[in-house]
């Protein structure tokens, strides 16, 4: 079976006015991502806020994604549940839906030893009918260390790892330990701002949240790097750094990504996570700055009031952008 490689989008889930999955908008979003060149989709990931949906809703998200993709790109389905039995049940169902593989985060909430992490994935590897990709995200779940990954790579069903640490050295240690014995093993980075250096060192691709906002540019970064056009790729990678940092660090994750994707012409609705009134106002300010950043890439139009010079201090930039917008409205009304 074909190895997983390229840009996989951990897609966000649009919600309607009642907070329910907006199926029509999700299907439109899937088509849009595929049309703009992503190599695969990764529903039920962290960016997709999988913990904020019920078991039934997570299954529906995968079913919709598989149906709409219709074999055009592979689906790497997030299958992490709160216990191993439910996770295996998800593996069985997603296999029926036609997903190419599943991505499974190590057990969360409880801090487990490496031996417990190994035992968890071993149970899945022995019972899953679908290929398994490990998902290492220590900020949210028990870490998967190199010796454990090496042991798990002995199972044919375990075909790769998605690592979201952004640690190039850690990725290199994994590849050095595993590639000589499993050249078919897939290595994916979940940290957008090191995609280029990771690719140069030999990873197969990325599961990058920015590709859900700017799929055409993340695909371009991948293509430039793989073609050895490193000078051009470096310029694009450093530019992507600004938009990624703005989306990630200026609001509780993944609210900044939800704010940004709406600028691409989608109605994603409010997240399941309630926002305070202060956060709602701040989100609007962030969205205006993000519009200016995305306009620099040529993927959206600049706001009507224009874009204030950015200082690199997001809080100052948000205030300046909102102030300029208010002043533009006052001038339009003849007040000033």
């Amino acid at each position: 079976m074909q190895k997983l490689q390229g840009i996989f989008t951990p897609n966000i889930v649009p919600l309607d006015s009642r907070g329910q999955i907006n199926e029509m908008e999700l299907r439109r979003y899937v088509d849009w991502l595929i049309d703009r060149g992503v190599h695969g989709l990764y529903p039920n990931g962290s960016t997709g806020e999988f913990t904020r949906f019920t078991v039934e809703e997570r299954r529906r998200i995968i079913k919709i994604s598989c149906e709409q993709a219709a074999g055009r790109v592979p689906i790497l389905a997030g299958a992490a549940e709160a216990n191993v039995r439910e996770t295996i049940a998800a593996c069985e169902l997603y296999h029926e839906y036609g997903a190419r593989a599943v991505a499974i985060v190590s057990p969360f909430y409880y801090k487990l030893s490496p031996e417990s992490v190994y035992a968890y994935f071993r149970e899945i590897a022995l019972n899953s009918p679908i290929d398994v990709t490990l998902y290492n995200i220590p900020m949210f779940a028990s870490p998967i260390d190199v010796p454990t990954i090496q042991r798990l790579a002995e199972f044919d069903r375990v075909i790769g790892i998605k690592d979201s640490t952004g640690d190039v050295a850690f990725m290199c240690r994994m590849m050095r330990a595993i590639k000589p014995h499993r050249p078919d093993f897939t290595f994916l980075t979940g940290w957008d701002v090191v995609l280029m250096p990771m690719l140069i060192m030999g990873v197969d691709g990325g599961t990058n949240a920015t590709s859900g906002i700017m799929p055409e540019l993340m695909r371009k970064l991948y293509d430039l790097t793989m073609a050895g056009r490193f000078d051009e790729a470096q310029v694009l990678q450093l530019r992507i750094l600004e938009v990624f940092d703005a989306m990630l660090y200026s609001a509780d994750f993944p609210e900044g990504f939800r704010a940004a994707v709406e600028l691409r012409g989608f109605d994603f609705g409010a997240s399941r996570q309630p926002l305070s009134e202060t956060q709602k106002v701040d989100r609007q300010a962030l969205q205006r700055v993000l519009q200016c950043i995305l306009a620099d890439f040529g993927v959206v139009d600049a706001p009507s009031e224009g874009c204030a010079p950015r200082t690199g201090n997001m809080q100052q930039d948000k205030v300046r952008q909102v102030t300029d917008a208010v002043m533009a409205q006052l001038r339009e009304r003849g007040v000033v």
Side-chain angles (χ1 to χ4, degrees), residues 23-41:
E23 180 173 338
M24 289 185 62
E25 198 72 342
L26 178 55
R27 290 183 182 275
R28 188 167 76 93
Y29 185 47
V30 166
D31 286 340
W32 182 79
L33 290 168
I34 295 173
D35 290 345
R36 277 155 182 77
V38 302
H39 297 93
L41 300 176

Side-chain angles (χ1 to χ4, degrees), residues 289 308-309 311-323:
V289 177
T311 66
N313 183 314
M314 179 55 71
Q315 197 58 39
Q316 292 181 12
D317 292 348
K318 287 188 286 188
V319 172
R320 178 66 183 275
Q321 190 62 44
V322 170
T323 300

Side-chain angles (χ1 to χ4, degrees), residues 267-305:
D267 179 10
F268 268 69
S271 167
R272 290 274 175 89
Q273 171 59 36
L275 299 179
S276 69
E277 293 306 314
T278 299
Q279 286 176 311
K280 290 177 183 177
V281 171
D282 190 69
R283 185 187 193 276
Q284 293 174 350
L286 170 61
Q287 195 166 43
R288 286 186 178 276
V289 177
L290 287 172
Q291 185 174 356
C292 289
I293 297 174
L294 295 181
D296 288 347
F297 286 97
V299 295
V300 302
D301 294 328
S304 58
E305 70 272 11

Side-chain angles (χ1 to χ4, degrees), residues 4-6 76 161-163 171 186-190 204-207:
L4 298 178
Q5 57 187 15
L76 176 60
I161 185 165
K162 175 210 168 174
D163 177 69
M171 182 69 82
T186 292
F187 295 89
L188 302 171
T189 177
D204 299 288
T207 55

Side-chain angles (χ1 to χ4, degrees), residues 42-292:
Y42 173 35
N44 282 351
S46 300
T47 311
E49 303 177 84
F50 75 96
T51 60
R52 290 172 177 159
F53 293 95
T54 66
V55 172
E56 291 75 18
E57 287 173 324
R58 286 193 285 274
R59 292 175 175 179
R60 185 174 171 223
I61 289 166
I62 300 299
K63 190 171 191 294
I64 292 170
S65 300
C66 288
E67 287 178 351
Q68 197 63 26
R72 289 177 290 170
V73 298
I75 302 295
L76 176 60
E81 296 294 341
N83 62 76
V84 70
R85 292 182 65 180
E86 288 296 323
T87 298
I88 293 172
C91 292
E92 293 169 347
L93 190 61
Y94 300 163
H95 178 61
E96 293 178 14
Y97 289 165
R100 164 64 183 85
V102 293
I104 301 175
V105 68
S106 59
F108 41 90
Y109 187 77
Y110 295 105
K111 292 184 178 180
L112 300 181
S113 66
E115 196 64 24
S116 290
V117 171
Y118 170 77
Y120 178 79
F121 280 113
R122 177 183 181 275
E123 187 74 9
I124 294 169
L126 292 174
N127 292 281
S128 173
I130 189 172
D131 286 343
V132 174
T133 299
L134 311 174
Y135 179 5
N136 186 42
I137 184 165
M139 67 184 76
F140 294 143
S142 299
I144 315 174
D145 61 20
V146 173
T148 301
I149 298 165
Q150 198 168 10
R151 292 174 71 190
L152 291 170
E154 295 175 4
F155 295 96
D156 291 339
R157 187 57 82 193
V158 178
I159 63 162
I161 185 165
K162 175 210 168 174
D163 177 69
S164 290
T165 64
D167 187 335
V168 179
F170 179 70
M171 182 69 82
C172 290
R173 291 186 182 101
M174 286 193 291
M175 291 190 292
R176 184 179 64 181
I178 295 167
K179 276 193 170 186
H181 313 288
R182 286 286 303 273
D184 61 319
F185 203 83
T186 292
F187 295 89
L188 302 171
T189 177
W191 205 244
D192 306 28
V193 294
V194 292
L195 177 61
M196 178 192 174
M198 290 282 197
L199 289 171
I200 290 173
M201 291 308 299
V203 306
D204 299 288
T207 55
N208 305 124
T210 306
S211 70
I213 316 303
M214 306 188 303
E216 55 275 268
L217 293 178
M218 292 302 289
R219 172 62 189 266
K220 182 179 180 181
L221 176 58
Y222 174 85
D223 289 343
L224 287 172
T225 306
M226 298 305 290
R229 295 164 62 181
F230 299 139
D231 289 344
E232 296 170 78
Q234 182 187 46
V235 171
L236 183 55
Q237 177 73 89
L238 291 176
R239 291 190 66 205
I240 286 170
L241 178 69
E242 182 185 13
V243 66
F244 178 78
D245 284 355
M247 292 186 294
L248 182 64
Y249 297 118
S250 300
D252 289 347
F253 178 78
E255 194 59 41
F257 293 87
R258 293 187 69 88
V261 74
E262 292 172 358
L263 296 170
R264 298 306 307 266
F266 292 95
D267 179 10
F268 268 69
S271 167
R272 290 274 175 89
Q273 171 59 36
L275 299 179
S276 69
E277 293 306 314
T278 299
Q279 286 176 311
K280 290 177 183 177
V281 171
D282 190 69
R283 185 187 193 276
Q284 293 174 350
L286 170 61
Q287 195 166 43
R288 286 186 178 276
V289 177
L290 287 172
Q291 185 174 356
C292 289

